[in-house]
Amino acid sequence: MSYFSSYDTTTKRTIINCAAKDIINNEVHLRTEMLDQLLEALLHERNHRDREEREARDFERHAYLYKWINETPEEK
């Protein structure tokens, strides 16, 4: 006879319900951690993309300014 079977039915139900709640809470916690990691990865990707777009705009501006500075006075 197991230790668990020595409990009355109400106590067994309480133990099972508590265990079920712990399992659900643990799954919710794991899902929350996974969502946090996903959000962090998405933010990192967005920041990386924004930085690349900003660098591309800066490059275009610098190229235009370089071209404008190096034009001959007649071309201006």
Side-chain angles (χ1 to χ4, degrees):
M1 187 156 131
S2 74
Y3 183 72
F4 184 74
S5 61
S6 64
Y7 290 117
D8 61 82
T9 304
T10 304
T11 304
K12 288 179 187 178
R13 285 184 185 149
T14 302
I15 292 170
I16 291 169
N17 285 337
C18 288
K21 286 178 186 176
D22 286 345
I23 290 169
I24 290 168
N25 288 338
N26 191 34
E27 286 181 10
V28 168
H29 178 71
L30 290 175
R31 287 184 190 148
T32 302
E33 282 184 12
M34 291 170 67
L35 286 173
D36 286 346
Q37 290 173 358
L38 177 61
L39 284 174
E40 186 177 326
L42 289 172
L43 284 172
H44 177 75
E45 181 62 29
R46 188 183 79 187
N47 289 338
H48 181 70
R49 187 182 64 242
D50 290 348
R51 184 175 58 245
E52 286 179 341
E53 290 172 358
R54 190 171 50 251
E55 288 172 354
R57 284 192 309 269
D58 290 346
F59 179 80
E60 289 174 8
R61 280 191 213 116
H62 291 140
Y64 175 78
L65 287 173
Y66 180 79
K67 180 182 171 190
W68 184 78
I69 290 170
N70 290 316
E71 287 179 349
T72 62
E74 297 83 34
E75 292 174 335
K76 290 183 183 177

